Amino acid sequence: MESKRQQKFARVIQKDLGEIFQRDAAAFLPGVMITVTKVRATADLGMARVFLSFFNAPNPNLAINTIKTHSSEIRYMLGKKIKDQVRGIPQLDFFLDDTNEYVDRMDKIFSKISKEEDTE
């Protein structure tokens, strides 16, 4: 269970990272829209797990690896934005949020099941 402090910290990071990706993501991934879907902060606020979703990315795994290679630059940009709001800038750990793919896969399975029931 996250504390109120962790949740507030995560919201600040999510908002500002979203703005960074909206404005500066073209430098890392041209033509790809990046959405920060969730941020989880550790209890000491020293690390933030950032979950990203990619739209118009041919290979999401390659996209997340590109973001991971630029994580120090992204952390620097984040630090410039939130330096007055937080005491320390957390280390960022990026993960691929595959919720949309999971939902699509479940929809296909359910539609296949309903088609099988209709034919019986």
Side-chain angles (χ1 to χ4, degrees):
M1 184 78 183
E2 285 184 309
S3 69
K4 295 279 188 199
R5 183 172 172 232
Q6 285 172 285
Q7 291 173 356
K8 184 177 178 183
F9 186 73
R11 280 193 303 270
V12 167
I13 291 172
Q14 183 173 1
K15 177 186 159 293
D16 289 330
L17 274 179
E19 291 173 5
I20 288 169
F21 285 131
Q22 193 173 42
R23 192 183 63 242
D24 302 321
F28 308 130
L29 295 165
V32 176
M33 188 175 91
I34 303 169
T35 305
V36 181
T37 57
K38 188 185 322 176
V39 175
R40 297 276 187 233
T42 58
D44 66 352
L45 307 181
M47 174 166 269
R49 292 177 182 89
V50 181
F51 294 86
L52 301 175
S53 176
F54 298 94
F55 179 73
N56 205 22
N59 185 349
N61 290 322
L62 180 63
I64 196 73
N65 289 334
T66 302
I67 294 296
K68 285 179 180 181
T69 43
H70 291 94
S71 64
S72 61
E73 297 169 51
I74 295 167
R75 182 174 181 249
Y76 176 75
M77 287 186 260
L78 178 67
K80 286 182 6 183
K81 286 185 78 73
I82 67 172
K83 67 179 181 238
D84 297 329
Q85 300 174 43
V86 298
R87 191 172 291 203
I89 309 305
Q91 291 293 323
L92 301 175
D93 200 5
F94 294 102
F95 296 95
L96 180 62
D97 184 4
D98 59 354
T99 305
N100 290 336
E101 289 88 28
Y102 178 77
V103 169
D104 289 342
R105 195 167 58 241
M106 288 294 117
D107 283 344
K108 288 177 186 175
I109 290 171
F110 288 135
S111 66
K112 183 179 176 184
I113 290 171
S114 71
K115 285 179 186 176
E116 289 174 1
E117 288 177 353
D118 290 342
T119 59
E120 291 177 2

